[in-house]
PDB file of all heavy atoms in Angstrom:
ATOM      1  N   THR A  20       0.608   2.164  -0.869  1.00  0.00           N
ATOM      2  CA  THR A  20       1.341   3.370  -0.963  1.00  0.00           C
ATOM      3  C   THR A  20       0.755   4.477   0.047  1.00  0.00           C
ATOM      4  O   THR A  20      -0.434   4.486   0.188  1.00  0.00           O
ATOM      5  CB  THR A  20       1.469   3.980  -2.313  1.00  0.00           C
ATOM      6  OG1 THR A  20       0.069   3.993  -2.742  1.00  0.00           O
ATOM      7  CG2 THR A  20       2.356   3.234  -3.281  1.00  0.00           C
ATOM      8  N   LEU A  21       1.679   5.178   0.552  1.00  0.00           N
ATOM      9  CA  LEU A  21       1.230   6.325   1.447  1.00  0.00           C
ATOM     10  C   LEU A  21       1.071   7.620   0.631  1.00  0.00           C
ATOM     11  O   LEU A  21       2.121   8.157   0.325  1.00  0.00           O
ATOM     12  CB  LEU A  21       2.039   6.449   2.661  1.00  0.00           C
ATOM     13  CG  LEU A  21       1.579   5.730   3.919  1.00  0.00           C
ATOM     14  CD1 LEU A  21       2.613   6.107   5.018  1.00  0.00           C
ATOM     15  CD2 LEU A  21       0.247   6.107   4.308  1.00  0.00           C
ATOM     16  N   ASP A  22      -0.174   7.973   0.301  1.00  0.00           N
ATOM     17  CA  ASP A  22      -0.286   9.095  -0.538  1.00  0.00           C
ATOM     18  C   ASP A  22      -0.776  10.190   0.389  1.00  0.00           C
ATOM     19  O   ASP A  22      -1.866  10.129   0.830  1.00  0.00           O
ATOM     20  CB  ASP A  22      -1.252   8.809  -1.715  1.00  0.00           C
ATOM     21  CG  ASP A  22      -1.603  10.073  -2.455  1.00  0.00           C
ATOM     22  OD1 ASP A  22      -0.986  11.151  -2.162  1.00  0.00           O
ATOM     23  OD2 ASP A  22      -2.355   9.904  -3.465  1.00  0.00           O
ATOM     24  N   PRO A  23       0.023  11.270   0.618  1.00  0.00           N
ATOM     25  CA  PRO A  23      -0.387  12.326   1.525  1.00  0.00           C
ATOM     26  C   PRO A  23      -1.720  13.018   1.059  1.00  0.00           C
ATOM     27  O   PRO A  23      -2.454  13.507   1.843  1.00  0.00           O
ATOM     28  CB  PRO A  23       0.845  13.440   1.446  1.00  0.00           C
ATOM     29  CG  PRO A  23       1.608  12.946   0.422  1.00  0.00           C
ATOM     30  CD  PRO A  23       1.393  11.613   0.056  1.00  0.00           C
ATOM     31  N   GLN A  24      -1.887  13.089  -0.216  1.00  0.00           N
ATOM     32  CA  GLN A  24      -3.247  13.600  -0.775  1.00  0.00           C
ATOM     33  C   GLN A  24      -4.292  12.805  -0.329  1.00  0.00           C
ATOM     34  O   GLN A  24      -5.256  13.250   0.280  1.00  0.00           O
ATOM     35  CB  GLN A  24      -3.089  13.647  -2.327  1.00  0.00           C
ATOM     36  CG  GLN A  24      -2.387  14.790  -2.912  1.00  0.00           C
ATOM     37  CD  GLN A  24      -3.067  16.156  -2.793  1.00  0.00           C
ATOM     38  OE1 GLN A  24      -2.437  17.042  -2.118  1.00  0.00           O
ATOM     39  NE2 GLN A  24      -4.282  16.260  -3.286  1.00  0.00           N
ATOM     40  N   ALA A  25      -4.232  11.461  -0.624  1.00  0.00           N
ATOM     41  CA  ALA A  25      -5.240  10.554  -0.268  1.00  0.00           C
ATOM     42  C   ALA A  25      -5.455  10.495   1.283  1.00  0.00           C
ATOM     43  O   ALA A  25      -6.551  10.147   1.769  1.00  0.00           O
ATOM     44  CB  ALA A  25      -4.875   9.196  -0.852  1.00  0.00           C
ATOM     45  N   ALA A  26      -4.419  10.653   2.011  1.00  0.00           N
ATOM     46  CA  ALA A  26      -4.484  10.546   3.413  1.00  0.00           C
ATOM     47  C   ALA A  26      -5.264  11.716   4.073  1.00  0.00           C
ATOM     48  O   ALA A  26      -5.697  11.663   5.176  1.00  0.00           O
ATOM     49  CB  ALA A  26      -3.056  10.415   4.115  1.00  0.00           C
ATOM     50  N   GLY A  27      -5.383  12.727   3.243  1.00  0.00           N
ATOM     51  CA  GLY A  27      -6.168  13.878   3.797  1.00  0.00           C
ATOM     52  C   GLY A  27      -5.439  14.648   4.812  1.00  0.00           C
ATOM     53  O   GLY A  27      -6.004  15.310   5.684  1.00  0.00           O
ATOM     54  N   THR A  28      -4.007  14.643   4.791  1.00  0.00           N
ATOM     55  CA  THR A  28      -3.344  15.456   5.796  1.00  0.00           C
ATOM     56  C   THR A  28      -2.535  16.537   5.126  1.00  0.00           C
ATOM     57  O   THR A  28      -2.566  16.620   3.808  1.00  0.00           O
ATOM     58  CB  THR A  28      -2.343  14.550   6.544  1.00  0.00           C
ATOM     59  OG1 THR A  28      -1.514  13.809   5.553  1.00  0.00           O
ATOM     60  CG2 THR A  28      -3.004  13.441   7.390  1.00  0.00           C
ATOM     61  N   ASN A  29      -1.855  17.345   5.993  1.00  0.00           N
ATOM     62  CA  ASN A  29      -0.996  18.462   5.437  1.00  0.00           C
ATOM     63  C   ASN A  29      -1.639  19.326   4.424  1.00  0.00           C
ATOM     64  O   ASN A  29      -2.069  20.356   4.655  1.00  0.00           O
ATOM     65  CB  ASN A  29       0.262  17.850   4.868  1.00  0.00           C
ATOM     66  CG  ASN A  29       1.049  17.057   5.914  1.00  0.00           C
ATOM     67  OD1 ASN A  29       0.868  17.322   7.114  1.00  0.00           O
ATOM     68  ND2 ASN A  29       1.693  15.918   5.605  1.00  0.00           N
ATOM     69  N   THR A  30      -1.623  18.788   3.053  1.00  0.00           N
ATOM     70  CA  THR A  30      -2.018  19.759   2.020  1.00  0.00           C
ATOM     71  C   THR A  30      -3.489  20.247   2.276  1.00  0.00           C
ATOM     72  O   THR A  30      -3.768  21.383   1.946  1.00  0.00           O
ATOM     73  CB  THR A  30      -2.127  19.043   0.798  1.00  0.00           C
ATOM     74  OG1 THR A  30      -2.692  17.585   0.973  1.00  0.00           O
ATOM     75  CG2 THR A  30      -0.747  18.874   0.031  1.00  0.00           C
ATOM     76  N   ASP A  31      -4.451  19.322   2.787  1.00  0.00           N
ATOM     77  CA  ASP A  31      -5.750  19.779   3.044  1.00  0.00           C
ATOM     78  C   ASP A  31      -5.981  20.689   4.290  1.00  0.00           C
ATOM     79  O   ASP A  31      -6.986  21.317   4.454  1.00  0.00           O
ATOM     80  CB  ASP A  31      -6.654  18.532   3.124  1.00  0.00           C
ATOM     81  CG  ASP A  31      -6.999  18.082   1.682  1.00  0.00           C
ATOM     82  OD1 ASP A  31      -6.894  18.856   0.747  1.00  0.00           O
ATOM     83  OD2 ASP A  31      -7.266  16.862   1.565  1.00  0.00           O
ATOM     84  N   ASP A  32      -4.852  20.654   5.144  1.00  0.00           N
ATOM     85  CA  ASP A  32      -5.016  21.501   6.441  1.00  0.00           C
ATOM     86  C   ASP A  32      -5.328  22.897   6.120  1.00  0.00           C
ATOM     87  O   ASP A  32      -6.045  23.606   6.844  1.00  0.00           O
ATOM     88  CB  ASP A  32      -3.754  21.333   7.312  1.00  0.00           C
ATOM     89  CG  ASP A  32      -3.759  20.031   7.960  1.00  0.00           C
ATOM     90  OD1 ASP A  32      -4.747  19.345   7.933  1.00  0.00           O
ATOM     91  OD2 ASP A  32      -2.632  19.646   8.604  1.00  0.00           O
ATOM     92  N   ASP A  33      -4.810  23.427   5.008  1.00  0.00           N
ATOM     93  CA  ASP A  33      -4.912  24.813   4.618  1.00  0.00           C
ATOM     94  C   ASP A  33      -6.465  25.135   4.164  1.00  0.00           C
ATOM     95  O   ASP A  33      -6.764  26.320   4.198  1.00  0.00           O
ATOM     96  CB  ASP A  33      -3.958  25.269   3.538  1.00  0.00           C
ATOM     97  CG  ASP A  33      -2.702  24.852   3.787  1.00  0.00           C
ATOM     98  OD1 ASP A  33      -2.318  24.729   5.149  1.00  0.00           O
ATOM     99  OD2 ASP A  33      -1.781  24.643   2.869  1.00  0.00           O
ATOM    100  N   ASP A  34      -6.999  24.072   3.771  1.00  0.00           N
ATOM    101  CA  ASP A  34      -8.379  24.193   3.114  1.00  0.00           C
ATOM    102  C   ASP A  34      -9.236  23.125   3.628  1.00  0.00           C
ATOM    103  O   ASP A  34      -9.483  22.102   2.920  1.00  0.00           O
ATOM    104  CB  ASP A  34      -8.220  24.143   1.590  1.00  0.00           C
ATOM    105  CG  ASP A  34      -9.550  24.366   0.854  1.00  0.00           C
ATOM    106  OD1 ASP A  34     -10.543  24.704   1.617  1.00  0.00           O
ATOM    107  OD2 ASP A  34      -9.564  24.315  -0.280  1.00  0.00           O
ATOM    108  N   PRO A  35      -9.959  23.364   4.833  1.00  0.00           N
ATOM    109  CA  PRO A  35     -10.789  22.302   5.307  1.00  0.00           C
ATOM    110  C   PRO A  35     -11.904  21.958   4.455  1.00  0.00           C
ATOM    111  O   PRO A  35     -12.290  20.832   4.354  1.00  0.00           O
ATOM    112  CB  PRO A  35     -11.249  23.030   6.625  1.00  0.00           C
ATOM    113  CG  PRO A  35     -10.875  24.392   6.640  1.00  0.00           C
ATOM    114  CD  PRO A  35      -9.764  24.573   5.577  1.00  0.00           C
ATOM    115  N   ARG A  37     -11.970  21.533   1.168  1.00  0.00           N
ATOM    116  CA  ARG A  37     -11.440  20.600   0.274  1.00  0.00           C
ATOM    117  C   ARG A  37     -11.419  19.125   0.935  1.00  0.00           C
ATOM    118  O   ARG A  37     -11.803  18.230   0.267  1.00  0.00           O
ATOM    119  CB  ARG A  37     -10.125  20.998  -0.271  1.00  0.00           C
ATOM    120  CG  ARG A  37      -9.648  20.339  -1.604  1.00  0.00           C
ATOM    121  CD  ARG A  37      -8.398  20.777  -2.120  1.00  0.00           C
ATOM    122  NE  ARG A  37      -7.485  19.639  -2.337  1.00  0.00           N
ATOM    123  CZ  ARG A  37      -7.673  18.669  -3.304  1.00  0.00           C
ATOM    124  NH1 ARG A  37      -8.691  18.669  -4.014  1.00  0.00           N
ATOM    125  NH2 ARG A  37      -6.812  17.657  -3.349  1.00  0.00           N
ATOM    126  N   LEU A  38     -10.951  19.099   2.121  1.00  0.00           N
ATOM    127  CA  LEU A  38     -10.895  17.910   2.824  1.00  0.00           C
ATOM    128  C   LEU A  38     -12.298  17.360   3.080  1.00  0.00           C
ATOM    129  O   LEU A  38     -12.687  16.190   2.914  1.00  0.00           O
ATOM    130  CB  LEU A  38     -10.118  18.127   4.124  1.00  0.00           C
ATOM    131  CG  LEU A  38     -10.129  16.874   5.022  1.00  0.00           C
ATOM    132  CD1 LEU A  38      -9.453  15.675   4.475  1.00  0.00           C
ATOM    133  CD2 LEU A  38      -9.420  17.178   6.465  1.00  0.00           C
ATOM    134  N   TRP A  39     -13.178  18.244   3.497  1.00  0.00           N
ATOM    135  CA  TRP A  39     -14.634  17.773   3.775  1.00  0.00           C
ATOM    136  C   TRP A  39     -15.240  17.286   2.411  1.00  0.00           C
ATOM    137  O   TRP A  39     -15.903  16.305   2.449  1.00  0.00           O
ATOM    138  CB  TRP A  39     -15.398  18.963   4.204  1.00  0.00           C
ATOM    139  CG  TRP A  39     -14.887  19.528   5.521  1.00  0.00           C
ATOM    140  CD1 TRP A  39     -14.053  18.984   6.485  1.00  0.00           C
ATOM    141  CD2 TRP A  39     -15.275  20.845   6.045  1.00  0.00           C
ATOM    142  NE1 TRP A  39     -13.966  19.873   7.506  1.00  0.00           N
ATOM    143  CE2 TRP A  39     -14.544  21.063   7.240  1.00  0.00           C
ATOM    144  CE3 TRP A  39     -16.008  21.900   5.548  1.00  0.00           C
ATOM    145  CZ2 TRP A  39     -14.631  22.247   7.974  1.00  0.00           C
ATOM    146  CZ3 TRP A  39     -16.212  23.159   6.257  1.00  0.00           C
ATOM    147  CH2 TRP A  39     -15.444  23.211   7.614  1.00  0.00           C
ATOM    148  N   ARG A  41     -13.656  15.984  -0.090  1.00  0.00           N
ATOM    149  CA  ARG A  41     -13.131  14.608  -0.466  1.00  0.00           C
ATOM    150  C   ARG A  41     -13.642  13.475   0.443  1.00  0.00           C
ATOM    151  O   ARG A  41     -13.870  12.354  -0.020  1.00  0.00           O
ATOM    152  CB  ARG A  41     -11.588  14.620  -0.405  1.00  0.00           C
ATOM    153  CG  ARG A  41     -10.969  15.529  -1.662  1.00  0.00           C
ATOM    154  CD  ARG A  41      -9.507  15.807  -1.474  1.00  0.00           C
ATOM    155  NE  ARG A  41      -8.701  14.547  -1.418  1.00  0.00           N
ATOM    156  CZ  ARG A  41      -7.675  14.393  -0.622  1.00  0.00           C
ATOM    157  NH1 ARG A  41      -7.311  15.413   0.037  1.00  0.00           N
ATOM    158  NH2 ARG A  41      -7.097  13.309  -0.542  1.00  0.00           N
ATOM    159  N   VAL A  42     -13.886  13.810   1.709  1.00  0.00           N
ATOM    160  CA  VAL A  42     -14.324  12.732   2.552  1.00  0.00           C
ATOM    161  C   VAL A  42     -15.749  12.475   2.279  1.00  0.00           C
ATOM    162  O   VAL A  42     -16.204  11.338   2.169  1.00  0.00           O
ATOM    163  CB  VAL A  42     -14.238  13.273   4.006  1.00  0.00           C
ATOM    164  CG1 VAL A  42     -14.907  12.255   4.989  1.00  0.00           C
ATOM    165  CG2 VAL A  42     -12.764  13.322   4.550  1.00  0.00           C
TER     166      VAL A  42
END
Side-chain angles (χ1 to χ4, degrees):
T20 46
L21 266 181
D22 174 1
Q24 281 289 121
T28 52
N29 301 326
T30 43
D31 278 340
D32 281 352
D33 308 333
D34 184 0
R37 198 176 124 67
L38 176 59
W39 302 340
R41 289 171 57 217
V42 172

